[in-house]
Amino acid sequence: MDEKDLKIISELVRDARTTLSELSEILGMSISSVHKRLKKLESEGVIERYTAVVNPDKFESVTAFLLVSAEDTERVYELFKDVNDVVEIYRALGNFNMVLKVRGKDLDRIGEITSKLSATEGVMMVECIVTTRRLKEAIWSPDEVI
């Protein structure tokens, strides 16, 4: 992956609707070269998908982070990966070895998921942190540094 690949990624993170023609102009490359690079980034799994980013603040929803201590993180992952309201799952280090980001329609839905998780065999502890206001959420890009 070189600087041109990173520029393609950066532009698509900024706006996934950027056309091949626009990318070729930005990069000073032919459309076919940009297309070839884009297909390679997709086939290698660098670019996973193209999607619309929906503002959760426009919906009456609740965001919570579930900190989980589990004996078998793979089992927990398999049980919760297809739950619509579970939007992100991470392995972690420290007292908790998993973190689930959940967006539900209300506190009752967050409670249902937390209860189901707590009742899962091998789950030793779940801590639920309900957020009150989103201050920042961004799509990560590999060229962004502090």
Side-chain angles (χ1 to χ4, degrees), residues 127-140:
E127 185 170 329
C128 178
I129 300 171
V130 176
T131 64
T132 57
R133 184 169 166 230
R134 179 176 72 134
L135 300 175
K136 177 184 177 180
E137 183 171 356
I139 305 299
W140 178 80

Side-chain angles (χ1 to χ4, degrees), residues 39-63:
K39 288 298 171 193
K40 184 174 186 235
L41 291 168
E42 292 169 352
S43 70
E44 291 176 348
V46 175
I47 296 175
E48 293 181 343
R49 67 182 183 267
Y50 301 87
T51 188
V53 178
V54 177
N55 181 347
D57 298 336
K58 299 296 181 181
F59 300 85
E60 292 189 17
S61 66
V62 177
T63 301

Side-chain angles (χ1 to χ4, degrees), residues 81-99:
K81 70 178 182 180
D82 295 324
V83 175
N84 273 351
D85 295 329
V86 177
V87 295
E88 297 178 35
I89 301 176
Y90 297 93
R91 282 205 173 120
L93 300 174
N95 292 333
F96 299 96
N97 55 5
M98 294 188 80
V99 178

Side-chain angles (χ1 to χ4, degrees), residues 13-141:
V13 165
R14 187 185 58 73
D15 183 357
R17 296 178 299 174
T18 305
T19 66
L20 285 174
S21 176
E22 291 168 331
L23 285 171
S24 92
E25 189 175 312
I26 291 166
L27 293 160
M29 299 171 62
S30 70
I31 291 174
S32 63
S33 294
V34 172
H35 186 256
K36 186 186 295 184
R37 283 175 177 265
L38 194 52
K39 288 298 171 193
K40 184 174 186 235
L41 291 168
E42 292 169 352
S43 70
E44 291 176 348
V46 175
I47 296 175
E48 293 181 343
R49 67 182 183 267
Y50 301 87
T51 188
V53 178
V54 177
N55 181 347
D57 298 336
K58 299 296 181 181
F59 300 85
E60 292 189 17
S61 66
V62 177
T63 301
F65 293 88
L66 306 181
L67 309 177
V68 182
S69 180
E71 293 172 348
D72 185 354
T73 57
E74 193 60 35
R75 176 180 158 79
V76 173
Y77 170 74
E78 287 300 322
L79 288 171
F80 288 87
K81 70 178 182 180
D82 295 324
V83 175
N84 273 351
D85 295 329
V86 177
V87 295
E88 297 178 35
I89 301 176
Y90 297 93
R91 282 205 173 120
L93 300 174
N95 292 333
F96 299 96
N97 55 5
M98 294 188 80
V99 178
L100 283 69
K101 180 179 179 181
V102 180
R103 280 214 167 102
K105 62 181 176 149
D106 53 30
L107 284 173
D108 287 339
R109 179 61 180 146
I110 300 296
E112 289 171 20
I113 295 169
T114 303
S115 294
K116 181 177 178 185
L117 185 56
S118 296
T120 300
E121 184 180 327
V123 170
M124 298 165 295
M125 184 170 35
V126 177
E127 185 170 329
C128 178
I129 300 171
V130 176
T131 64
T132 57
R133 184 169 166 230
R134 179 176 72 134
L135 300 175
K136 177 184 177 180
E137 183 171 356
I139 305 299
W140 178 80
S141 182

